[in-house]
Amino acid sequence: MAANAKYDLECKHLSKHFSEFTAVDKLNFSVEAGSFFSILGPSGCGKTTLLRMLAGFESPSEGEIQIHQKRVNELAPNKRPVNMVFQHLALFPNMNVSENIAYGLKRRGIKANERQHKIKDVLERVGLDGSQNKQITQLSGGQKQRIAIARSLVLEPRLLLLDEPLGALDLKLREKMKVELKHLQREFGTTFIYITHDQSEALVMSDKVAVMNNGRFEQVASPQELYYQPNTAFVAKFVGQTNAHSAVVCEQRQGVALLKTARGRHLIVATTIDQAEKSVVDVFVRPEAIGICEAGREVQADNQFDVEVEECLFDGASSTLVVKDTHHQDSYRVAPGASFSLQHIVPGSKLRIFWDAKQAICISQEVKGES
């Protein structure tokens, strides 16, 4: 992989082994300059080890890391053009805001007058102008987040590495900070590399997301592509809610396949997968893609059948129903949306669900992730 000015980060065949365990397995990827790139995956998938290698806290077992066209494998953390924001922020409680931000500037030998100018500028850009003399204990959780980011960005790193920085915040503050982090990334134009196990964080903030599993990237794509066009069953299940079924191909022609689930329900799906009869595939249908009407009503849809409500999970606009196919016993999670009232829906209610062939995602069980 040749160095390219378009990219702030390029990794080639990057691996990390711990005795018999491989935490990161031959990754090849690039991150465009000025973009927000997230690494999304469950605990233990290797994302923190990868971030520590980029920061210089871990040495690769194999492969190369290039930052802004320069190999950095042998460089110490403080010699790399990167900075890092941790989940617990690591702000100095015995220093005020200005002193916290000045810490890295002092270590670089920046003179006092220039330090004050940089501190004032960065505080204005993170929306905390005038807070220079506040103690860290006087700040809210969101303000502490912004100070931690300001302390990193004032050093003008090529990459800002963020290690699940919203994990310790309450739900409402996390939702607010998602918007603020994306705004700050655009404001500064710094390349953000963000790791998280929370798919909502990755989808909301990122230009590109790498979904990581067992040390490898299953797919690297835009949030929209990951959600609507997952390449693997792992991505389909991990990114967003979905209804998953294993099925056998009964017939396929002109981009449409007739499938049979393990319990005997026939489904019609639109697919470009060329599978022989009796091949096994995974079928995924997003909850919001499934329509609802009264039981027994005929609708114009490729897939439709009667169900019984098992649970009504009320959560305002995010409410869902868990329903069971009364004949074949397959369960589905359905997102009715604002047009369908749940006020009189109770367990045992009879409904009909339906969706078109093109609203299902069909993935061969042989499809593997990318490196």
Side-chain angles (χ1 to χ4, degrees), residues 41-307:
S43 297
C45 72
K47 57 187 185 296
T48 297
T49 300
L50 172 56
L51 203 71
R52 288 177 60 82
M53 285 196 288
L54 300 181
F57 301 136
E58 295 280 358
S59 298
S61 303
E62 302 170 41
E64 183 175 79
I65 302 170
Q66 290 188 4
I67 298 176
H68 198 50
Q69 306 177 70
K70 181 179 179 181
R71 177 186 166 98
V72 298
N73 289 44
E74 293 78 24
L75 291 183
N78 64 334
K79 300 296 184 182
R80 300 186 183 198
V82 305
N83 222 315
M84 195 161 180
V85 177
F86 299 92
Q87 181 174 338
H88 298 291
L89 306 183
L91 295 171
F92 302 116
N94 59 324
M95 298 181 184
N96 65 22
V97 167
S98 182
E99 291 166 338
N100 263 277
I101 296 174
Y103 182 79
L105 296 171
K106 280 184 177 180
R107 289 176 63 88
R108 288 192 176 177
I110 305 298
K111 293 181 179 180
N113 286 345
E114 188 178 353
R115 286 202 306 269
Q116 293 310 309
H117 172 75
K118 286 179 176 292
I119 291 167
K120 186 176 188 303
D121 178 65
V122 77
L123 285 173
E124 285 179 354
R125 295 174 76 179
V126 300
L128 289 173
D129 188 30
S131 63
Q132 284 91 327
N133 296 320
K134 285 188 177 181
Q135 297 301 312
I136 297 301
T137 53
Q138 294 177 285
L139 304 177
S140 68
Q143 289 172 329
K144 289 177 183 177
Q145 288 283 347
R146 282 184 278 168
I147 294 302
I149 292 167
R151 185 177 64 178
S152 295
L153 290 176
V154 76
L155 298 173
E156 300 178 355
R158 179 63 59 175
L159 304 178
L160 183 63
L161 311 178
L162 300 105
D163 186 5
E164 305 208 48
L166 306 186
L169 303 181
D170 62 60
L171 178 60
K172 282 200 170 182
L173 188 51
R174 280 205 308 273
E175 292 300 313
K176 180 181 178 183
M177 286 305 299
K178 287 179 201 174
V179 178
E180 291 200 6
L181 272 176
K182 183 59 182 173
H183 171 76
L184 288 173
Q185 190 272 324
R186 286 175 174 164
E187 167 69 22
F188 284 86
T190 303
T191 302
F192 278 25
I193 298 181
Y194 186 99
I195 71 166
T196 181
H197 64 274
D198 185 322
Q199 48 102 3
S200 175
E201 290 180 10
L203 295 182
V204 168
M205 295 188 290
S206 309
D207 298 308
K208 288 283 182 70
V209 181
V211 180
M212 195 169 190
N213 182 35
N214 293 327
R216 298 173 68 84
F217 287 168
E218 295 266 337
Q219 187 174 353
V220 182
S222 70
Q224 293 84 355
E225 286 177 288
L226 290 177
Y227 192 81
Y228 293 112
Q229 298 171 299
N231 283 349
T232 71
F234 181 86
V235 174
K237 292 175 182 177
F238 196 79
V239 179
Q241 295 288 335
T242 194
N243 296 290
H245 293 285
S246 179
V248 175
V249 177
C250 298
E251 185 181 347
Q252 184 171 332
R253 63 175 182 272
Q254 296 180 338
V256 176
L258 176 65
L259 310 177
K260 188 176 182 180
T261 70
R263 293 189 174 94
R265 165 61 66 188
H266 283 93
L267 302 176
I268 299 173
V269 302
T271 177
T272 57
I273 296 175
D274 187 13
Q275 291 284 344
E277 288 187 20
K278 299 185 179 180
S279 298
V280 181
V281 296
D282 289 311
V283 182
F284 303 94
V285 186
R286 299 292 186 190
E288 69 274 15
I290 300 176
I292 308 176
C293 63
E294 60 270 21
R297 177 184 167 189
E298 288 295 324
V299 294
Q300 288 190 332
D302 298 307
N303 302 281
Q304 55 181 298
F305 44 89
D306 291 335
V307 297

Side-chain angles (χ1 to χ4, degrees), residues 305-322:
F305 44 89
D306 291 335
V307 297
E308 181 177 301
V309 175
E310 290 189 307
E311 295 289 346
C312 180
L313 307 176
F314 182 77
D315 188 20
S318 301
S319 297
T320 57
L321 294 174
V322 180

